[in-house]
Amino acid sequence: MTSSLNTGSLIAKVLTHSWRASPSALAISTEELDIVAPMLLESGAGALGWKRVSNSELRTTPAALELEQAYRLHSLQSAIHEREIEDALALLRSAGVEPILVKGWAVARLYPDTGLRPYGDLDLCVAAKQYHVARTALEKDVKKSHQVDLHRGFKTLDQKSWDELWSRSQLVKLGDLEVRVLCPEDHLRVLCFHFLREGAWRPLWLCDIAVALETRGPDFVWDLFTGKQDRRRKWFACVIALADQLLGANLDGVPGTVRATQLPSWFLPSVLKEWDVRSMSHRHTTPMNTAWRRPAQALNLKNLRSHWPNPIEATIGVNGPFNELPRLPFQLGNCALRTIEFLRRLLAT
């Protein structure tokens, strides 16, 4: 039986350089592809898996054909989502709101083919003072042709203020439309933080970081990306080093201080285990804030285990350092904070 670390390493092998226009052919066995294909499909990386096997002898195997179907589906959905972006932006702009689009299309556009990077909801950030206006405008839309995840500023995505991020934001083309996105430095930092905050459970997110890293311009300001706080600089440097070690991301031009970053001994195994176990995926389908509806189901041992934070999520959740100290205290602290928040919301409900 394949171990979690070996399975995670296999996923990394399949996704290595998969975001590039012409990745090298994939050299794995049919049996290994059969193991990894369902995991790629579940995590949203099926199209990238197809990119790797499409020019190999495995391209006609049943598992490869499933990956190809995912690519075709994502390509169709990409065209639909782009029309949804146009509709949502037109609606908000008519209400006097100018949003910043993050994740989703903002990163899919960096791939050689937007069908390689699936996304669902449109993540739109608006100024706090415009949030209710934006929410009202979206709720009054009679067509409901879009699924918008509306954010009040960047509170859950970054520590920088709205005004600072807005001042560096850029307009990029989507057909004849101009879409406002974060500057490359802020964008990469948000991708890294989101990856860590969510416990690194989706390998697709590390591919996003690799493609954002490799498509940055020569004027990329590294100090702007990492920020000045030593603890967060170490977080983000570890993610860049991880993209290199696991997926072969090109680090040409990356400062030596980042390239030389040593990953904590628990970091890489945590990522590989999460890619195999995918506890965060299960947690999203059984959130604890609905436990009062089905307490027996929510509080059974299997479900509680899926809500136990992995070392990465726990450390980020309590704003902890990436060092060689045991992670158990951070995991306990994270559980305590989440329990308090859960009880607060339950009482409010």
Side-chain angles (χ1 to χ4, degrees), residues 49-336:
W50 167 246
K51 185 75 172 177
R52 286 300 314 279
V53 303
S54 60
N55 61 343
S56 74
E57 295 180 354
L58 295 173
R59 63 182 178 274
T60 58
T61 63
L65 294 178
E66 285 191 64
L67 298 176
E68 183 183 18
Q69 287 295 94
Y71 167 70
R72 293 177 182 274
L73 176 61
H74 298 333
S75 298
L76 291 172
Q77 290 175 332
S78 175
I80 295 171
H81 290 325
E82 288 179 3
R83 289 198 296 270
E84 291 175 346
I85 292 172
E86 295 174 358
D87 292 343
L89 291 187
L91 187 67
L92 291 175
R93 285 170 174 168
S94 67
V97 178
E98 177 69 3
I100 298 177
L101 191 151
V102 296
K103 300 185 293 181
W105 180 84
V107 68
R109 69 188 177 89
L110 303 178
Y111 286 82
D113 179 350
T114 54
L116 293 174
R117 208 301 185 180
Y119 56 96
D121 293 349
L122 308 179
D123 286 277
L124 297 177
C125 299
V126 298
K129 61 184 178 182
Q130 292 187 313
Y131 179 81
H132 292 295
V133 174
R135 174 61 63 195
T136 300
L138 293 171
E139 290 175 349
K140 286 184 177 180
D141 179 29
V142 294
K143 294 189 297 182
K144 299 293 183 185
S145 58
H146 42 70
Q147 297 179 1
V148 174
D149 188 1
L150 192 66
H151 300 265
R152 184 185 279 103
F154 288 89
K155 185 171 63 173
T156 62
L157 298 170
D158 199 29
Q159 281 191 330
K160 305 293 184 183
S161 70
W162 169 266
D163 290 340
E164 182 179 352
L165 294 172
W166 172 269
S167 69
R168 294 193 293 263
S169 65
Q170 302 172 346
L171 290 170
V172 296
K173 283 288 189 179
L174 171 56
D176 295 329
L177 181 72
E178 287 191 323
V179 181
R180 187 171 294 280
V181 298
L182 294 171
C183 74
E185 293 88 350
D186 293 333
H187 184 211
L188 181 57
R189 187 178 59 255
V190 165
L191 292 177
C192 289
F193 180 70
H194 179 260
F195 175 74
L196 294 171
R197 187 194 68 187
E198 295 294 319
W201 76 269
R202 289 187 78 181
L204 178 65
W205 293 334
L206 193 60
C207 292
D208 290 345
I209 291 161
V211 74
L213 185 66
E214 292 191 359
T215 56
R216 75 190 191 281
D219 56 347
F220 189 91
V221 181
W222 281 94
D223 284 343
L224 178 59
F225 157 63
T226 58
K228 297 180 179 180
Q229 189 183 94
D230 288 343
R231 182 168 296 182
R232 295 174 72 88
R233 289 171 72 95
K234 180 66 177 293
W235 291 355
F236 303 141
C238 282
V239 177
I240 299 302
L242 181 73
D244 170 40
Q245 291 188 30
L246 272 186
L247 302 181
N250 188 340
L251 298 192
D252 288 349
V254 176
T257 53
V258 177
R259 295 168 63 98
T261 299
Q262 296 294 314
L263 300 180
S265 59
W266 50 267
F267 187 62
L268 179 59
S270 297
V271 173
L272 295 179
K273 181 179 179 181
E274 192 61 47
W275 286 7
D276 178 49
V277 177
R278 304 181 302 284
S279 62
M280 288 289 286
S281 176
H282 177 73
R283 186 190 306 177
H284 284 305
T285 62
T286 57
M288 288 301 291
N289 58 10
T290 62
W292 62 274
R293 297 176 184 171
R294 302 185 187 89
Q297 177 183 342
L299 300 177
N300 66 48
L301 185 58
K302 180 180 179 181
N303 191 55
L304 289 176
R305 282 177 178 170
S306 72
H307 284 268
W308 176 251
N310 70 33
I312 300 168
E313 178 198 7
T315 304
I316 300 301
V318 298
N319 194 34
F322 276 16
N323 54 29
E324 291 298 335
L325 291 176
R327 294 297 102 180
L328 180 59
F330 297 96
Q331 291 171 295
L332 292 172
N334 182 264
C335 282

